[in-house]
Amino acid sequence: MSELHRVVVTGLGSITSLGSNVDSFWNNIVTGKSGITRIATFDPKSYPCQIGAEVKDFNPENYMDVRDAKHSDRFTHFAIAATRSAIQDAMFDLKQFDPFRVGVIIGSGIGGVDTIQKQTARFHNMGALRVSPFMIPSLLCNMASGVVAIQFGFKGPNFSAVTACSSSTHTIGEAYNMLKLGKADAVFAGGSEAALVELSFAGFCMMRAMSTHFNDEPERASRPFDIRRDGFVMGEGAGVVLLETLESAVARRAKIYCEVVGYAASCDAYHITSPDPNGNGLASCLKSLLHESGLQPADVDYINAHGTSTEMNDKCETLAIKHAFKENAKKLKISSTKSMTGHLLGAAGGIEAIVCAKVIETGFIPPTINYENLDPHCDLDYVPNRAIEHNVNVAISENLGFGGHNAALMFKKYA
C-alpha cells in the first residue's frame, strides 16, 4: 500500500444570509447576528412558517457568464460563487497543478428545485413543447460539481454526494479520503442549496418540521437545544473548502487553516426522517471518527453540532455526544451556528466546516443564540448567546440527514 498523505485546508468560500464572503459571514457569526428574516422572495402569508435565512442581493452575473447563469439553477450559481471565493482565498493558480489532479465534489440535498417548480408550471400552462431544454441539466444535483469544473478547468475526480442534510460533510470526507490515498493533489469540496422556493417550503411545512411560533420575531426562531424550540428554519447558500495534500500546500507556500485528520459515516437504519432516539447511529459515527484520527475524547475541544432546533434532533444529538465522549462530554464546547444561519440542508456541512477552520484559526467559538430555557435532556455546554475566546486544537463538525445518514469530520490545528 502506498504512503498515506496528510490533508490540509487552504481555502474557504461561502455564500450565506450573513454575507457573500467568509469575512462578513465570520464576523456576523462571532457577534451572534441572525440572518433569519421574513421570507421576501415569495409571499409567505398562507404558510404556517413565514421565515427563512435568504441570501440577499445575490447576482450570479458577478461570478459567471450571463448565458451560463441563465441556463443553470440558483444552487449552481451559489456553488460557483463559493468556489470562486475559495480560489481567491487560497491564491490557487491552476497553472501550478496538473488539472487532471484537481477534483470537485460538491453536494446538494435537493438540487434544482426552483427549476423543477418553474418548468412544471410551464408544462401545465404552456404545454410540453415549451419546457426548457436546459431543465434536466439544471435540476440535477451533480451539476454543481460539473459546472464548477467546466468554469474553472478542473479535470480530476468529479461527483456529488446526495445524503440530505449530511451531503456536504460526506463530500468533504470523500475528498479527504481521495487526497489521503494520493488520488488527487487538490479537491474543492462542500455543498450548495437553494431550496427556499414555494414547493419545497410547502413540503417542509406539511411535515411540521419548521418553526411556526416566531413568525413575528424571525431572529428568535432558530433556538437549538432550548426547550422552547419548535422546528428548524430553512436557509440557503453554499460553503466550499479547498483541501490539498500537505506536499502540495507546502510546495506552493499556501496558507494552511488546519489539518483534516478524520472522517466517519454511519446510518441509523431507523426511520426516513427521525433520528435514532437512542443516538446510537451518530454515537457510532463519532466513535469511529475518534478511532480513525487516533485521538482520545479528551483531545477534542469543540463540536459544531448539527443542532437543527427540532425536538428530537437536539435531544438525540446530545445523547449521542454523551455516548461517544463519556465523562468528557461535559467538558466540550458545543455550538449550533444554525441558530444564526438557519438550516442550509445539503450545504450545512460545508458552512460548518468553514466555522471549524475559523475557530481553530482565530481562537473564538461562536455562540448558540436564543438559548434561554434549559431542556433537561440537553444539558451540555452549548456556548449560550455569546462567543467565547478559547484555544481550540481539535474541532468536529457533524451532520445528520433524512434517511438516517450520519457524517462527521475532525479538524486539527496544523503543526
Side-chain angles (χ1 to χ4, degrees):
M1 183 176 179
S2 60
E3 179 185 356
L4 297 180
H5 298 264
R6 293 174 68 182
V7 179
V8 294
V9 179
T10 57
L12 310 175
S14 66
I15 297 287
T16 72
S17 61
L18 289 171
S20 59
N21 58 66
V22 170
D23 287 343
S24 59
F25 165 70
W26 179 247
N27 289 337
N28 284 324
I29 284 286
V30 171
T31 55
K33 180 179 174 63
S34 174
I36 299 168
T37 58
R38 183 176 176 83
I39 294 290
T41 51
F42 59 88
D43 186 354
K45 66 183 179 183
S46 61
Y47 297 82
C49 177
Q50 299 171 9
I51 58 178
E54 296 174 304
V55 172
K56 301 171 181 68
D57 303 319
F58 177 81
N59 183 354
E61 295 171 18
N62 292 335
Y63 303 95
M64 59 193 300
D65 179 78
V66 175
R67 184 178 176 85
D68 291 338
K70 184 178 179 181
H71 294 157
S72 54
D73 192 88
R74 184 170 165 88
F75 89 102
T76 299
H77 301 164
F78 288 158
I80 291 286
T83 303
R84 191 174 291 280
S85 295
I87 289 170
Q88 293 169 350
D89 181 53
M91 293 188 287
F92 181 91
D93 183 353
L94 186 57
K95 294 176 183 177
Q96 297 177 298
F97 291 83
D98 174 353
F100 289 96
R101 300 278 298 172
V102 180
V104 183
I105 314 177
I106 297 176
S108 183
I110 296 179
V113 67
D114 186 45
T115 294
I116 294 171
Q117 177 175 286
K118 288 175 178 175
Q119 294 303 315
T120 300
R122 285 180 69 91
F123 175 79
H124 286 295
N125 295 332
M126 303 172 71
L129 299 183
R130 298 304 300 273
V131 169
S132 170
F134 295 98
M135 182 187 77
I136 298 301
S138 293
L139 65 84
L140 296 172
C141 287
N142 67 292
M143 203 51 63
S145 289
V147 174
V148 163
I150 292 166
Q151 287 283 315
F152 300 108
F154 304 145
K155 299 181 179 182
N158 188 297
F159 58 92
S160 176
V162 183
T163 53
C165 304
S166 59
S167 295
S168 47
T169 303
H170 279 112
T171 65
I172 297 170
E174 293 303 319
Y176 161 70
N177 278 343
M178 189 179 296
L179 291 161
K180 184 172 67 172
L181 294 172
K183 296 183 178 182
D185 298 322
V187 180
F188 289 88
S192 185
E193 204 79 87
L196 262 172
V197 301
E198 294 100 314
L199 181 62
S200 49
F201 199 81
F204 280 119
C205 279
M206 292 305 96
M207 288 179 65
R208 298 182 181 179
M210 295 198 294
S211 173
T212 59
H213 295 171
F214 295 90
N215 286 330
D216 294 330
E217 299 178 286
E219 69 282 354
R220 297 188 64 212
S222 184
R223 43 199 319 109
F225 307 108
D226 183 277
I227 200 168
R228 290 188 64 201
R229 64 191 183 275
D230 73 313
F232 79 90
V233 179
M234 283 183 74
E236 62 176 358
V240 173
V241 299
L242 173 58
L243 304 186
E244 291 184 64
T245 62
L246 179 59
E247 298 95 323
S248 170
V250 169
R252 68 181 193 89
R253 299 181 181 177
K255 174 181 176 178
I256 295 174
Y257 283 96
C258 57
E259 184 174 0
V260 186
V261 294
Y263 161 57
S266 69
C267 184
D268 287 355
Y270 173 75
H271 189 270
I272 58 172
T273 58
S274 295
D276 178 347
N278 297 312
N280 291 328
L282 178 59
S284 174
C285 182
L286 293 171
K287 290 175 183 177
S288 295
L289 186 70
L290 288 164
H291 177 75
E292 178 181 332
S293 67
L295 298 175
Q296 299 299 314
D299 295 324
V300 179
D301 304 296
Y302 170 66
I303 295 178
N304 187 286
H306 191 54
T308 57
S309 188
T310 57
E311 180 183 358
M312 285 302 295
N313 178 91
D314 295 0
K315 185 187 301 184
C316 298
E317 187 173 8
T318 298
L319 194 57
I321 292 170
K322 289 179 178 179
H323 286 332
F325 287 88
K326 307 296 184 184
E327 65 274 8
N328 291 288
K330 293 281 188 179
K331 302 173 185 177
L332 287 166
K333 302 297 181 186
I334 303 166
S335 65
S336 172
T337 44
K338 289 183 180 72
S339 59
M340 295 168 277
T341 66
H343 191 351
L344 275 71
L345 309 177
I351 290 296
E352 290 156 15
I354 289 171
V355 170
C356 286
K358 293 296 289 183
V359 165
I360 290 172
E361 179 197 25
T362 66
F364 283 92
I365 296 177
T368 304
I369 68 168
N370 300 319
Y371 186 83
E372 298 166 346
N373 307 282
L374 176 67
D375 180 344
H377 296 288
C378 300
D379 57 353
L380 300 177
D381 182 354
Y382 306 111
V383 191
N385 303 313
R386 291 182 181 277
I388 60 171
E389 191 169 0
H390 189 82
N391 182 50
V392 173
N393 288 302
V394 178
I396 289 173
S397 176
E398 39 100 339
N399 291 101
L400 294 69
F402 282 177
H405 307 290
N406 305 297
L409 297 162
M410 184 90 79
F411 302 92
K412 185 179 181 182
K413 189 172 289 187
Y414 169 66

